């Protein structure tokens, strides 16, 4: 089995190690446009040795943003600022990725540091939509409009347009966000999807939106570049979306040309009781990898080099994605290499060589 500092090749893309920066919302864009903040935030994790740097949830439409500060890729003006960041990330030896997202019923909220509650339409917010007219719950109290068949087709076309722009921006790894209670996940879960048409009810119907979107995206995203999907593998609620369904969905996503499943959980309903602890979502990556026969990423409270190395060595996942630990330490991969006796397997920037 490989270890944390062994390269990974998927299609034409090779990660220099198994460490990725998980997409992390910065809520610091200007009408969706990436700023110098993003260049520094993503760039410093590339100089810190990450193999993969995935830009935050990037909205495929203005109405699909979680907050007014979200990154976006719904217009041509978004492309060059992302391309600038990608050029830097790539020059540092990391692979630049992007996560495409639509927030569904969780859109139109204040930034977390401004309270995170839904914003009224006359106070910086906008009308929202979802599979069914069911509010998420406090503090996200707005009731979404039930999406029509035309709404569904339009959002799918927006994902396709966003994919083309991601390619034009030099992204080499594309993730579709279908987790954390955003639109894709809202269709999957019977807790948020109570439709009676072809997009709701049975398992086959609830997965239809994501599978169709994936198929349309795969047609325009080059065959040789990795396409991945982030799932909330369970809602952590009886009667909700669960791991068995995630395994079957992963099999079908693989058949659509998805190269890796990014295994997260939760976020669909506020009542979930989540047993958070070190590596608490790793078993999802392990089971999907084994039973669906698809590569996986493990994410969630991965902080320790030995823990991360063991996840890879034991074959539980192909990649580890770190989020908050990367905020604490942008140079986590370089420090982890030292801790694991793997310093020969990293190349710090020449400018920083004397420190490592
Ligand atoms: C944290 C979160 C993790 C797991 C379940 C729900 C929420 N995140 C998720 C982010 C936005 C900010 C908070 C996204 O997935 C876009």
């Amino acid at each position: 089995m490989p270890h944390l500092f062994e390269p990974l090749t998927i299609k034409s893309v090779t990660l220099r190690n198994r460490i990725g920066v998980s997409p992390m919302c910065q809520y610091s864009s200007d009408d969706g446009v990436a700023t110098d903040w993003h260049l520094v935030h993503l760039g410093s994790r590339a100089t810190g040795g990450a193999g993969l740097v995935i830009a935050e949830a990037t909205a495929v439409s203005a109405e699909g943003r979680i907050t007014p500060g979200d990154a976006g890729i719904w217009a041509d003006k978004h492309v060059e600022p992302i391309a600038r960041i990608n050029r830097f990330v790539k020059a540092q030896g990391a692979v630049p990725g992007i996560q495409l997202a639509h927030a569904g019923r969780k859109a139109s909220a204040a930034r977390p540091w401004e309270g995170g509650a839904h914003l009224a339409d006359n106070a910086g917010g906008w009308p929202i939509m979802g599979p069914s007219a069911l509010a998420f719950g406090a503090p996200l109290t707005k009731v979404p409009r039930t999406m029509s068949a035309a709404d569904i087709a339009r959002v799918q076309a927006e994902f396709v347009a966003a994919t083309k722009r991601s390619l034009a921006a030099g992204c080499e790894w594309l993730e579709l966000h279908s987790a954390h209670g955003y639109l894709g996940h809202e269709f999957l879960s019977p807790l948020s999807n109570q439709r009676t048409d072809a997009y709701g009810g049975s398992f086959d119907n609830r997965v239809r939106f994501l599978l169709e979107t994936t198929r349309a995206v795969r047609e325009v995203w080059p065959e040789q570049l990795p396409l991945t999907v982030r799932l909330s593998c369970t809602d952590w609620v009886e009667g909700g979306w669960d791991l068995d369904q995630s395994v079957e969905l992963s099999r079908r996503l693989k058949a659509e040309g998805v190269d890796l499943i990014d295994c997260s959980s939760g976020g669909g309903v506020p009542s979930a009781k989540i047993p958070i602890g070190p590596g608490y979502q790793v078993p999802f990556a392990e089971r999907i990898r084994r039973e669906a026969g698809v590569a996986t990423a493990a994410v969630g409270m991965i902080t320790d080099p030995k823990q991360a190395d063991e996840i890879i060595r034991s074959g539980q996942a192909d990649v580890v994605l770190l989020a908050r630990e990367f905020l604490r330490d942008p140079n986590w991969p370089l420090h982890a290499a030292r801790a694991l006796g793997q310093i020969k397997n990293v190349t710090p920037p020449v400018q920083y060589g004397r420190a490592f």
Side-chain angles (χ1 to χ4, degrees), residues 268-317:
V269 285
S271 60
K273 301 268 173 293
I274 306 181
I276 292 173
Y280 70 112
Q281 297 176 146
V282 175
F284 306 147
E286 189 276 331
R287 196 174 145 207
I288 288 175
R289 189 173 190 269
R290 185 164 38 83
E291 293 189 17
V294 63
T296 59
V299 62
M301 288 198 71
I302 300 170
T303 58
D304 176 70
K306 280 207 176 62
Q307 172 200 19
D309 193 40
E310 191 51 32
I311 291 167
I312 303 298
R313 283 185 192 270
S314 60
Q316 295 178 95

Side-chain angles (χ1 to χ4, degrees), residues 198-214:
Y199 292 92
S202 65
F203 173 84
D204 284 350
N205 284 355
R206 283 180 283 113
V207 301
R208 191 180 308 280
F209 172 78
L210 176 60
L211 290 178
E212 283 181 356
T213 306
T214 302

Side-chain angles (χ1 to χ4, degrees), residues 167-244:
L167 185 65
C171 299
E172 297 182 348
W173 180 287
L174 191 101
E175 174 164 285
L176 301 179
H177 197 352
S178 190
H180 301 167
Y182 301 108
L183 189 62
H185 181 192
E186 288 165 20
F187 271 93
L188 297 178
S189 175
L191 303 176
S192 44
N193 180 351
Q194 295 180 1
R195 301 177 72 92
T196 53
D197 66 359
Y199 292 92
S202 65
F203 173 84
D204 284 350
N205 284 355
R206 283 180 283 113
V207 301
R208 191 180 308 280
F209 172 78
L210 176 60
L211 290 178
E212 283 181 356
T213 306
T214 302
R215 182 174 299 174
V217 162
R218 187 76 267 189
E219 273 173 24
V220 296
W221 184 246
E223 175 54 34
Q224 283 309 307
L225 292 179
L227 175 63
T228 80
V229 175
R230 174 167 276 190
L231 295 180
S232 274
C233 296
T234 175
D235 280 331
W236 298 107
V237 172
E238 202 62 35
W241 182 258
D242 59 21
L243 184 55
D244 287 342

